[in-house]
Amino acid sequence: MPEPTWAGAPVESVAVVGAGLAGCLLAAFLGRRGIAVDLYERRADPRTAGAERGRSINLAISARGLDALDRVGLAEQALAEALPMRGRTLHPVRGALGFQSYSADGTRAINSIGRARLNHALLDCAEKTPDVTLHFEHRLTAVDPATGTLTFADGGTRRADAVIGADGAWSAVRRSVQFSEGFDFRQDFLPHGYKELTIPPAPDGGFALDPGSLHIWPRGSSMMIALPNTDRSFTCTLFWPKEGPGGFAALDTADAVRRYFAAHYPDAVPLMPTLAEDFLHNPVGSLVTIRCAPWVRGRVALLGDAAHAIVPFFGQGANCAFEDCVELDRCLDETGGDLAVALPRYQDRRKANAEAIADMALDNFVEMSDRVNSPVFRWTTRARHALERVVPGYVSRYELVSFTTLPYARIEGRIRRQDRLAAGLTTAVVGGLAALASRRGARS
């Protein structure tokens, strides 16, 4: 990719749009390099205004996210405010619960943390970083990629040497370049949406469910999950079709909600005293995969969900966005801080990884909602864990995604090589046993 026309020019100011998780982390990375960063957010400061109802979506922070947070000194704090989940607990309509460990030895865990709690910590981090200035209630309406001029809803304008959009799936920064010649954009919506519910602490003040597990109620084409919180509640998320039988639109009264849950989620109903109220009042969110290119156009760049929104079924949205920040920071190291050269390099390295995790996240919805119920899937999972214990270097796809920082784009190739090795070992073992049996038969 040719260098942009402003390559080599000193970058004294960067505007980061979006004070969510990735935007705050990026601001901290840039600010500690001595770059003046203006961080713009269209909402009021969430540390004082609070989170929107039904929009928290607990995060599952794993190795990639922790690596990024450690670089700004927040990993230890994040883990202190998180709950480790070492596997999935499956809730059938009838019968006993089942448990599936995330790792072969049962010790590795993904970490449940509230989005708002982590966002507050990152906002504090960005605010304390020299040269970073926060601007709330600044709704962006346009960016000029040629000049770096930002225009806001109140008519005000600002200019920066570079503008980085970290403003989510519905990015205003991306919209400013999205309809220009040569910009490819695609959004794929699932027919499903999501809605949040709550399981409060048990009457004795403890957890109503096992807090060391991610709980799943798999129902084929839909599911409910529950992640633990440090206040001993659980944040539940329904992933249902928006329309049709078994969809959100089909339940529009409190009685209908209670009857449906009694039939399909019977063990959860006694744990959810505000079930009908939460269901009828909390919003339905959309599930979308967004792919676009290029991520860099003139003085404008995209990062996180603004560049590559993914569905949440692998718990990698925030982890992937944090890795974007780490890669851009690495590219700045390699280019002597030349942002104009670092941004295209960051795009080249991250695009294939974003595509890979987007595909894996879509596939994991089928796994979580349906395949986990299959005896074949459960046998395969146990077999893979057995291979991990006896074959050096054999690691499952889930562990490669969640417990390593191996680039997403290299994971499928690693899995194929492992499977060929495992098949070869199996053939060799079976052949050896057959030969041994033949020799014993010949001696008898």
Side-chain angles (χ1 to χ4, degrees), residues 266-344:
D267 65 329
V269 173
L271 310 179
M272 307 172 81
T274 60
L275 167 61
E277 177 188 353
D278 289 346
F279 187 94
L280 295 174
H281 290 91
N282 287 354
V284 175
S286 295
L287 297 168
V288 64
T289 301
I290 289 176
R291 308 173 196 259
C292 68
W295 294 354
V296 181
R297 173 144 291 188
R299 293 177 179 269
V300 168
L302 303 173
L303 180 142
D305 283 359
H308 50 72
I310 64 175
V311 294
F313 305 118
F314 224 126
Q316 288 295 302
N319 291 287
C320 182
F322 285 164
E323 270 201 330
D324 285 354
C325 299
V326 171
E327 188 58 59
L328 178 53
D329 194 54
R330 183 179 294 121
C331 291
L332 284 167
D333 277 340
E334 295 171 358
T335 61
D338 191 334
L339 191 60
V341 178
L343 285 170

Side-chain angles (χ1 to χ4, degrees), residues 239-261:
F239 296 102
W240 287 8
K242 290 185 176 180
E243 306 290 339
F248 289 115
L251 304 181
D252 56 2
T253 69
D255 285 344
V257 172
R258 295 189 188 99
R259 286 196 304 270
Y260 189 86
F261 273 76

Side-chain angles (χ1 to χ4, degrees), residues 198-211 228-234 267-268 270-273:
T198 300
I199 293 177
D204 64 0
F207 287 99
L209 299 168
D210 174 16
N229 299 306
T230 53
D231 66 359
R232 295 180 171 79
S233 68
F234 283 80
D267 65 329
L271 310 179
M272 307 172 81

Side-chain angles (χ1 to χ4, degrees), residues 313-385:
F313 305 118
F314 224 126
Q316 288 295 302
N319 291 287
C320 182
F322 285 164
E323 270 201 330
D324 285 354
C325 299
V326 171
E327 188 58 59
L328 178 53
D329 194 54
R330 183 179 294 121
C331 291
L332 284 167
D333 277 340
E334 295 171 358
T335 61
D338 191 334
L339 191 60
V341 178
L343 285 170
R345 186 175 297 189
Y346 138 80
Q347 173 192 275
D348 290 346
R349 292 181 180 175
R350 290 297 295 166
K351 186 70 168 72
N353 291 300
E355 294 286 342
I357 190 56
D359 292 338
M360 287 189 281
L362 287 165
D363 182 68
N364 218 44
F365 173 62
V366 181
E367 176 173 314
M368 293 175 70
S369 65
D370 191 17
R371 287 202 293 261
V372 289
N373 283 322
S374 164
V376 173
F377 176 84
R378 293 195 292 271
W379 181 89
T380 301
T381 299
R382 288 195 293 269
R384 288 188 181 278
H385 284 333

Side-chain angles (χ1 to χ4, degrees), residues 15 17 40 140 142-144 148-152 156-160 163 173:
V17 180
Y40 296 101
L140 183 75
V143 182
D144 184 341
T149 300
L150 303 94
T151 303
F152 296 94
T157 61
R158 305 283 180 89
R159 188 197 169 281
V163 179
V173 175

